[in-house]
Amino acid sequence: MMKKALVINLTRFGDILQSQPVVSRLHNQGYTVGFVCLDCFEQVPRLLNFVDEVFPLPAGKFLAGLEKHWASPLEAYWNWTHGVLDEFGAELVVNLTFTLPARLLQKSINAPFKTGFCLDEKGFSANSSRWCAFLTAAAHNRRNSPLNLVDLMSRVERGEAGGSADLKRPAPELCQKMREQFFAGLEETPRGFVGFQLGASNARRQWPVQSFLQVAEELWEKYSLCPVLLGSGGERELAQTFCQQSQIPVVNCVGETSLTELGAMLSMLELLVTNDTGTMHYAAGLGVKVCALFLSTAQPWDTGPYRAGAVCLEPNMECHPCHISYECTEDFLCHKILSPEHVLAYVEQLLGDSRRLESMDASRLKQVRAWETIEDGNGFIDLRSLNGLEETDRTAWRRMQRQVYRQFLDETGGAHEPLNLHGLSQEKSQEIGTELEQAWQRFFLLEQEMKILLQRPVEALKQKVMMNYERVTSELLQSAHFHVLGALWQEESQVFAASPENFLQVTLRYRKVLEVWKTVLLSNGMQLETL
């Protein structure tokens, strides 16, 4: 009998597409794969390779029923879970969503094996790997999130890598239909087409329509590439503004296509210029060239396109990316710093023409952070600076975090490569080192107190341990550099708090990872074998 696995992902369009590597790996392991999503995104898992059955969760219907009486929607939910999902007969349930509703859904499914974001027998969070805790912590502190969400999601299941990110290819006949539709309303025959995704999940993350238009007009005049506007029905107003101001031919498909038709359209493009959107992830999964723009809260380190060779642009501003709840006091200057000239320079390079990029003044180029997505040799997607910003403190600290966290979270016990300093300035090293030393001292003291407590379990010493624990946790969570480590420590220490022996082992592990960082700051590298 074929093994069956059920994947739960109760997020949005782009996030569902980013779970493709998990589905691919399960397929390669011989599983028939079912996929649970919110019913409003029912069609999205069908764009993934190797999804055999889709189970749309009617969450809106359940919530609407609460207005009448709680018992009726609860019964409907119970029947759906133990009818529809149990009938599928999953041996393994993989939950990729860290929210409590998703954990409860996984908990209620009858299956012998469950991984990802789970609940224990008492209803507390019980993740299947450290990667789960890291994904949750990084999601709440984007500035200290150095790993792509796809890489994190692919390791949530069991802390393992592997699995193709390639999405299902559109049918050739549909691609031909879309190509004919492209040409149907045009008086002039273009050499090709460039896609533009004008909208984003939040208006703060949208590049101005006028800037998109300027890029489109120059690409038409210089290369005879016709703009194709893509997006959902809610973005029609943006498309209308573009078309009304345009003096060139435009193919406007905003709000007019199904998801499969969108895939066929993307496959017809020379490249896509886009905000950080689900369309960007769809294009990357189909192997389309992408120039992605990251504004406001968006940044390429964690939500960039998961395909080597894409270009990611973001303003080179100290405040970028801003916190999700931050109110901008700069009148969204980031939208202007990232100019049409910058975008054209890198778009033209993607098209094989580097003349504009080579002629631009270096100081002008460095107003943005320009990145190319690459594979790092360890199964992760990485970024490489295209405009000389590789050795900045900001990038160096990202790289240090990538190396330390990846090896710290890896529980396979394999060989570890040396850590390198990557040119962190003396000033930044001193700033980080001061925090490190303080945190290390706290952990060392906590370790010594725990060792004594195991020998003499007196109440006064227990109180001292608790006070020191609360102090070190608070300091890490408030740190600009180690917030993510603090969130990891808080979750893992609470899991093992009931056992003093296990709590001591967790304390030792976190003190040692701080020692690794200290050593890196004092030298040019070391092994992580002690972890």
Side-chain angles (χ1 to χ4, degrees), residues 3 16-17 25 173 206 219 234 278 366 393 414 435 453 517:
K3 299 185 296 182
I16 293 174
L17 295 180
R25 185 167 66 243
E173 57 271 21
Q206 292 174 184
L219 292 178
K366 290 184 178 180
D393 281 342
E435 286 192 37
L453 185 63
W517 258 315

Side-chain angles (χ1 to χ4, degrees), residues 19-215:
S19 57
Q20 176 66 75
V22 174
V23 175
S24 297
R25 185 167 66 243
L26 292 171
H27 171 80
N28 294 339
Q29 294 171 351
Y31 286 99
T32 294
V33 181
F35 201 102
V36 181
C37 64
L38 297 173
D39 56 354
C40 53
F41 295 108
E42 178 179 357
Q43 297 305 314
V44 182
R46 304 183 195 281
L47 305 177
L48 306 181
N49 277 311
F50 315 124
V51 169
D52 300 288
E53 196 165 351
V54 177
F55 300 98
L57 173 66
K61 179 180 178 182
F62 295 152
L63 290 173
L66 291 174
E67 296 181 0
K68 299 179 180 178
H69 193 272
W70 63 268
S72 179
L74 180 61
E75 181 182 13
Y77 171 78
W78 182 267
N79 291 338
W80 184 83
T81 302
H82 292 282
V84 175
L85 297 187
D86 285 354
E87 187 177 336
F88 177 70
E91 176 184 346
L92 170 66
V93 182
V94 182
N95 179 25
L96 301 179
T97 308
F98 61 76
T99 61
L100 180 58
R103 293 176 189 263
L104 287 168
L105 174 60
Q106 185 201 48
K107 180 73 172 175
S108 64
I109 299 171
N110 293 319
F113 303 104
K114 297 177 182 181
T115 61
F117 297 98
C118 310
L119 291 176
D120 64 16
E121 293 303 315
K122 295 182 179 180
F124 293 101
S125 295
N127 299 324
S128 62
S129 74
R130 292 183 195 166
W131 288 98
C132 298
F134 182 83
L135 189 154
T136 306
H140 290 95
N141 193 314
R142 304 283 302 285
R143 282 176 169 264
N144 284 334
S145 180
L147 296 166
N148 192 285
L149 178 61
V150 178
D151 285 323
L152 295 180
M153 201 179 294
S154 68
R155 284 157 177 80
V156 156
E157 180 200 350
R158 293 174 183 172
E160 299 174 356
S164 171
D166 292 341
L167 297 172
K168 189 180 296 182
R169 302 294 305 179
E173 57 271 21
L174 184 58
C175 291
Q176 181 59 34
K177 174 187 173 182
M178 292 298 102
R179 187 171 183 82
E180 292 172 358
Q181 182 174 324
F182 281 179
F183 283 103
L186 298 176
E187 297 180 0
E188 301 180 59
T189 302
R191 184 179 69 81
F193 298 90
V194 175
F196 291 89
Q197 171 73 41
L198 306 179
S201 58
N202 188 298
R204 296 191 301 174
R205 302 169 73 161
Q206 292 174 184
W207 203 41
V209 171
Q210 292 73 20
S211 297
F212 275 113
L213 179 58
Q214 184 174 333
V215 171

